[in-house]
Amino acid sequence: MICGPGGVGKGTIASRLSAKVKGLSLSRSWTTRARRRGEPKDSYYFVTRQQFEDAIVDDKFLEWAEFLGNLYGTPKPESDAHTDLLLEIDIQGAKQVREKDPNAVIILLIAPSSEEQRHRMELRGDNAETIAERVSVGQNEVAEALKFADKVVVNDDLDRAVSEISSIINSLRSAGTAS
Ligand code: 5GP
């Protein structure tokens, strides 16, 4: 599982990894957030709050969290022994998965600096208020996540970070640990 604060590049890295590493399937989350301009339609299942709340009642999520007023959740995976499931989630979600599945491997992705994280959010068109809020929430969350993450990867360069995580996955597989 890849976790980290908003604007750190988790989404880009997760989709690169699922294309590059064989036998890895990327979980698609549900969200009540509106789709951003230019954001691919399949980056989430975009649902209404009512649909999301119904799914909570029906126990459809492995984990879910509220982040800055929107709900995000990972649907329970369909059992498929042939692939490792790659989750791309925030730090609150990673903590819940860790509690439910002590064998889950948590890779914490961090930005090289908060300036870089802010810059990425500006590029994707987030407004200034959201960015300030996300950067400050992110700093507290990273401090928390450092306590339970199995590996920490700095996203200083996309290709390098993708290679580092691919090597981590490969060595976990040779050691017989699921990702
Ligand atoms: P964004 O709105 O920028 O797409 O996502 C906001 C935050 O929610 C990001 O940190 C993202 O990783 C996280 N997130 C995305 N999907 C999930 C999910 O299924 N569960 C949890 N807990 N967080 C998620």
Side-chain angles (χ1 to χ4, degrees), residues 16-179:
R16 289 270 192 113
L17 281 169
S18 68
K20 179 175 170 168
V21 181
K22 288 207 173 67
L24 205 57
S25 58
L26 182 58
S27 163
R28 196 191 325 170
S29 298
W30 288 36
T31 184
T32 60
R33 167 171 76 63
R35 187 154 66 95
R36 296 189 184 103
R37 194 188 306 243
E39 184 175 24
K41 283 198 176 113
D42 61 359
S43 44
Y44 284 102
Y45 292 105
F46 292 96
V47 297
T48 62
R49 197 160 183 112
Q50 187 62 53
Q51 287 171 312
F52 200 104
E53 284 171 356
D54 289 347
I56 297 174
V57 172
D58 294 340
D59 199 22
K60 293 221 168 98
F61 294 115
L62 183 63
E63 62 72 37
W64 65 272
E66 180 149 16
F67 184 76
L68 303 181
N70 292 305
L71 300 173
Y72 296 83
T74 306
K76 284 189 176 166
E78 284 162 26
S79 55
D80 177 354
H82 301 296
T83 57
D84 291 322
L85 187 67
L86 179 64
L87 307 182
E88 181 250 301
I89 54 182
D90 77 341
I91 291 169
Q92 305 170 61
K95 207 170 170 190
Q96 289 180 56
V97 177
R98 159 63 83 232
E99 280 156 14
K100 285 187 190 153
D101 179 0
N103 295 324
V105 176
I106 300 181
I107 299 172
L108 171 65
L109 189 68
I110 55 175
S113 66
S114 48
E115 286 68 39
E116 183 62 28
Q117 187 189 0
R118 199 170 285 131
H119 180 60
R120 287 202 183 116
M121 290 192 261
E122 278 163 9
L123 285 180
R124 74 182 183 194
D126 287 358
N127 68 46
E129 198 183 328
T130 308
I131 294 176
E133 207 170 353
R134 285 190 169 203
V135 169
S136 105
V137 169
Q139 283 164 347
N140 296 331
E141 285 189 336
V142 166
E144 175 72 17
L146 284 168
K147 297 181 196 153
F148 62 80
D150 297 295
K151 305 274 179 192
V152 180
V153 173
V154 179
N155 189 13
D156 46 2
D157 174 85
L158 187 59
D159 291 334
R160 196 208 59 76
V162 169
S163 299
E164 184 178 348
I165 299 175
S166 309
S167 311
I168 294 173
I169 295 172
N170 289 334
S171 56
L172 290 168
R173 282 178 171 167
S174 353
T177 322
S179 81

